[in-house]
Amino acid sequence: MNSLKAKDLINIGIYSALYFVCMALATFLTGFVTGLILPGFSSLFVPGIVALVAGPVYMLLTDRVPRFGAITIMGLLMGLFFLVSGHFALSFIPYVACGFLADVLQTIVGKARSNGLRYLSYLIFAFGSTGPVMPLWFMKNAYVASLTRKGKSQAYIDGVFAHISGPTLIVCVSVTIVGALLGAWTGTMIVNRHFARTPAEA
Amino acid sequence: MSRISVYTKFFLIVFANGLLFFTLPDPLVLAITLYFCSFQFVDGRIERGWHWVCITAVFAVGTYLAYLTPDNLIGHYVLFFFVGLGKLLPVVVVGAYISGTTKVSELICTLRRLHVPQWIVIPLSVLFRFFPTIRNDYRQIRMAMKFRGIATTTGDMFRHPVRTMEFIYVPLLNNATNVATDLASASLTRGLTDPGPKTSLIQVRFTLLDASMCLMGLILMGGALYVVM
């Protein structure tokens, strides 16, 4: 982290703010559409939509701050936001872990050059926003407890959730992957087209 | 400025999230949620306080009534709505309180005091400082787009999502890059990277009020633990 200069840190802050706006927008949109149908389940689609929208921001960040730490810090800041804003606090962990992993892939393994690894690192970073999905698990537990109290048998409860747990996870993961790949593609396109790096910019 | 220090707010976050892991009797959960609501009153936000007390009451009554709902799809939906979202209610109450009353400078000051490293504090303060700029930029970009007859209505924006994305993103990101350069020179001049201790206009202290509120929380926590055991 010590190789980051003040200017890099400021850049990271700015791109994190933009990423954050993308996230808020995506959450709002998906929440608006799916929240009315199934409360809470909108968070299943949020990671994918965030990844779809935030591609250019991520690609530009990796372009402008090609040093280890940038993506980790961005993940950390997003996690911090979850921590203080009334989301489930452990949502913090996936963002930090995914940010770190993506960072390692991007800057240490890929040396910030390889396009394929850049896609892959973005894909991993996209999974950071799956944190808010976790409360569903708690909601499910509360719901199960309430069903038990209502006098339902265990078999009945298992029946209710048999159709939900597996497929929803697959849907969440595949939506995220598709969103991330599309986001990475559009992001790279926009960055290459409009932000071709001018040499000797320190 | 908030009368409750950021330290107490950290305590609230831990408390509210710990609560998720346990299933407690309804009256106790209600008491704890009301305790969280009471912080709004302590901070002088009376109207907001009542607002959250009302929501808590709706969920308490709703959960009670939801048990009486019939065994069909709608009944399950209602039950899931109240029980599932009600489970998350304490966390949301705490989140609303914290994001509504904490000033950025207070948070930064506290983080500095806790010796959080510079590479977190600097991006964080830039992040908050940058939000108004984004809003302003966005407005100007939209105006410029309308001026040229591009996506003049919100409907148009959704009809050509890729084009909209490009037209909004590129100026926004471009400006971000420029602002980064300006901000870097400005903050370096003001000694952002100075490793020495920073002074602050804002004082963050753990006061008697904090102590008494925390004590109340600890008592409720103790009660919850007793029930769980």
Side-chain angles (χ1 to χ4, degrees):
Chain A
M1 302 288 171
N2 293 327
S3 63
L4 294 169
K5 297 193 196 92
K7 194 184 167 203
D8 294 331
L9 293 175
I10 289 168
N11 261 321
I12 295 166
I14 283 178
Y15 291 118
S16 301
L18 285 167
Y19 186 86
F20 180 85
V21 169
C22 291
M23 189 167 73
L25 207 71
T27 315
F28 175 75
L29 279 177
T30 39
F32 193 67
V33 176
T34 57
L36 295 171
I37 306 163
L38 269 176
F41 276 86
S42 63
S43 46
L44 285 176
F45 301 104
V46 167
I49 307 290
V50 172
L52 181 66
V53 180
V57 179
Y58 184 87
M59 292 304 156
L60 203 56
L61 173 74
T62 56
D63 193 52
R64 289 292 138 111
V65 191
R67 274 173 279 276
F68 180 74
I71 305 166
T72 313
I73 293 175
M74 187 148 104
L76 201 73
L77 291 181
M78 292 304 130
L80 265 180
F81 161 74
F82 282 137
L83 204 63
V84 296
S85 67
H87 286 72
F88 172 51
L90 291 186
S91 311
F92 179 68
I93 294 167
Y95 244 125
V96 176
C98 290
F100 181 74
L101 263 178
D103 213 353
V104 167
L105 266 184
Q106 168 70 16
T107 54
I108 294 180
V109 180
K111 302 241 184 301
R113 295 269 153 70
S114 151
N115 239 341
L117 277 175
R118 186 176 293 196
Y119 274 47
L120 192 65
S121 79
Y122 184 59
L123 185 61
I124 290 175
F125 191 73
F127 275 93
S129 47
T130 48
V133 179
M134 287 194 292
L136 275 183
W137 186 70
F138 292 107
M139 285 167 81
K140 182 192 146 185
N141 279 2
Y143 185 56
V144 168
S146 73
L147 282 180
T148 322
R149 211 159 10 144
K150 233 182 153 187
K152 301 285 181 215
S153 68
Q154 190 60 43
Y156 174 85
I157 294 169
D158 289 342
V160 170
F161 284 104
H163 308 288
I164 296 184
S165 307
T168 40
L169 194 69
I170 294 167
V171 164
C172 178
V173 168
S174 48
V175 165
T176 311
I177 290 176
V178 170
L181 289 180
L182 272 177
W185 181 63
T186 50
T188 321
M189 221 166 60
I190 286 182
V191 169
N192 284 345
R193 194 159 144 198
H194 297 277
F195 298 93
R197 195 163 164 76
T198 45
E201 195 187 305
Chain B
M1 188 171 153
S2 175
R3 269 185 240 169
I4 300 290
S5 76
V6 181
Y7 303 112
T8 311
K9 290 174 183 169
F10 286 149
F11 166 74
L12 287 183
I13 291 175
V14 173
F15 189 6
N17 281 286
L19 213 58
L20 284 176
F21 290 96
F22 302 104
T23 308
L24 296 172
D26 288 342
L28 190 59
V29 175
L30 185 63
I32 292 172
T33 316
L34 286 176
Y35 161 72
F36 290 147
C37 291
S38 72
F39 278 90
Q40 299 272 15
F41 294 108
V42 172
D43 245 328
R45 290 150 59 93
I46 309 293
E47 210 171 299
R48 284 294 165 87
W50 284 120
H51 175 88
W52 282 107
V53 167
C54 284
I55 292 178
T56 311
V58 166
F59 269 96
V61 174
T63 312
Y64 180 72
L65 289 180
Y67 282 111
L68 308 174
T69 51
D71 228 355
N72 52 26
L73 193 65
I74 296 170
H76 273 289
Y77 180 80
V78 171
L79 185 64
F80 183 81
F81 183 84
F82 280 113
V83 173
L85 288 187
K87 181 83 182 163
L88 294 182
L89 187 64
V91 184
V92 174
V93 172
V94 167
Y97 168 67
I98 291 175
S99 47
T101 57
T102 312
K103 282 206 179 122
V104 176
S105 38
E106 273 175 77
L107 185 67
I108 301 283
C109 176
T110 316
L111 288 180
R112 280 232 162 91
R113 226 175 221 211
L114 292 170
H115 298 288
V116 172
Q118 286 275 34
W119 49 265
I120 294 179
V121 175
I122 294 175
L124 192 67
S125 34
V126 171
L127 186 142
F128 286 115
R129 138 95 183 60
F130 200 61
F131 284 132
T133 316
I134 293 180
R135 196 186 307 146
N136 191 28
D137 284 356
Y138 176 76
R139 239 179 252 146
Q140 296 204 341
I141 290 167
R142 284 295 293 150
M143 253 148 62
M145 281 166 79
K146 279 181 188 161
F147 187 65
R148 290 167 178 77
I150 306 161
T152 36
T153 59
T154 319
D156 278 350
M157 280 176 78
F158 285 102
R159 223 165 291 145
H160 304 283
V162 177
R163 206 180 65 176
T164 311
M165 223 166 118
E166 194 174 354
F167 283 169
I168 291 177
Y169 259 128
V170 174
L172 204 62
L173 288 172
N174 217 341
N175 185 49
T177 318
N178 293 337
V179 171
T181 320
D182 294 351
L183 210 58
S185 358
S187 50
L188 282 177
T189 321
R190 287 190 286 174
L192 182 76
T193 46
D194 180 17
K198 301 266 192 296
T199 50
S200 173
L201 264 180
I202 285 170
Q203 301 291 322
V204 179
R205 282 208 195 84
F206 193 81
T207 56
L208 201 65
L209 187 66
D210 281 308
S212 46
M213 288 310 273
C214 277
L215 189 69
M216 221 146 84
L218 283 174
I219 291 171
L220 281 168
M221 219 186 229
L225 273 180
Y226 180 75
V227 173
V228 170
M229 298 296 172

